[in-house]
Amino acid sequence: MSPKLPINNAQTIMEFLDLHKNQLAEEESVDSYKFAFDDEAFLSRRETIGIRFELELLKPEILLKERGIDHTITVFWSTRFVSRERAEQLQQEAKTSAEKETAKQALLHSEYYESAREFGRLVAQYNATQQQSSNKLHICTGGGPGIMEAANRGAFEAGTRDDWF
C-alpha cells in the first residue's frame, strides 16, 4: 500500500492502492444492476475489505444486543485437553509406551479441563442469582473441544441454556 496521500480527491481507491486488474476479484462489473450487498464478486474485491471487516464486527454486536446480552466472558485455550473421565479411559486403553505417555499427559492436563468446567458451573450459579437478564454473564467460546467445551459443559450442567448461537 502506498504511504502517500492521494494527489487529488477524485482518485479512486484502486488508483490509491495502485491495484492492477489482475489483483481484483472480478475483471469487470458485469452485474452492475445488482445491489452491492447482493453482488458477491463486488464484495470480494480488495477495495471492500474494510467494509467486510466492519461487518464481521457489527454482526455479533447486533445479535448480542437483540438477545439482551450485555456481558460476555470469552473462553479460549487448548482444544487438546480432555475431561478426567476421558483421560482415565485413555490410560486404561493404552498399550504402547507412546499411548501410555499420551494418556499420562492427558490425565495431567485434564485438571485444566476440569477447572474450566467448574468455572462454567460458577458462572451459571451466579446467573441463577440474577433477576435482570442485563446482569447475567454469558460464556462465549469458539465452540471447539477442550477448554471451550469444558466451560460450555460446566454452564450447561449447572442449568444454563444459552443455545441461541
Side-chain angles (χ1 to χ4, degrees):
M1 183 154 117
S2 173
K4 64 181 181 193
L5 293 174
I7 295 168
N8 67 53
N9 288 335
Q11 193 175 22
T12 67
I13 190 69
M14 188 171 134
E15 293 166 337
F16 178 68
L17 295 175
D18 195 27
L19 297 176
H20 304 285
K21 289 270 189 204
N22 62 355
Q23 294 174 287
L24 302 176
E26 62 178 81
E27 290 294 320
E28 57 186 72
S29 188
V30 178
D31 297 332
S32 62
Y33 62 90
K34 286 185 177 181
F35 285 112
F37 66 83
D38 199 29
D39 188 343
E40 191 173 321
F42 174 73
L43 289 175
S44 297
R45 294 178 72 130
R46 185 172 177 196
E47 298 98 312
T48 62
I49 194 169
I51 295 166
R52 292 192 319 265
F53 186 72
E54 184 177 353
L55 289 172
E56 291 300 322
L57 296 173
L58 184 61
K59 181 180 178 182
E61 183 179 332
I62 289 172
L63 294 174
L64 290 170
K65 190 170 281 308
E66 283 176 351
R67 288 161 176 84
I69 295 175
D70 294 324
H71 308 288
T72 60
I73 300 170
T74 306
V75 178
F76 289 105
W77 202 20
S78 179
T79 59
R80 294 186 178 122
F81 294 168
V82 296
S83 67
R84 181 167 287 118
E85 300 91 20
R86 177 68 182 130
E88 289 170 351
Q89 181 183 8
L90 288 171
Q91 266 194 327
Q92 291 173 355
E93 295 171 354
K95 292 179 179 43
T96 68
S97 60
E99 289 174 344
K100 289 177 183 176
E101 183 58 33
T102 300
K104 180 182 173 184
Q105 289 298 313
L107 190 58
L108 178 69
H109 293 141
S110 70
E111 290 182 41
Y112 299 113
Y113 182 100
E114 297 305 326
S115 293
R117 190 171 171 186
E118 174 68 10
F119 175 72
R121 187 184 65 73
L122 291 171
V123 170
Q125 286 177 341
Y126 166 80
N127 286 342
T129 67
Q130 301 305 304
Q131 298 300 315
Q132 294 180 325
S133 62
S134 63
N135 291 334
K136 293 186 178 187
L137 304 172
H138 299 267
I139 294 176
C140 179
T141 71
I147 298 300
M148 295 176 282
E149 170 193 309
N152 289 329
R153 181 178 176 188
F156 182 82
E157 290 170 343
T160 293
R161 298 295 185 259
D162 285 338
D163 57 357
W164 50 269
F165 264 118

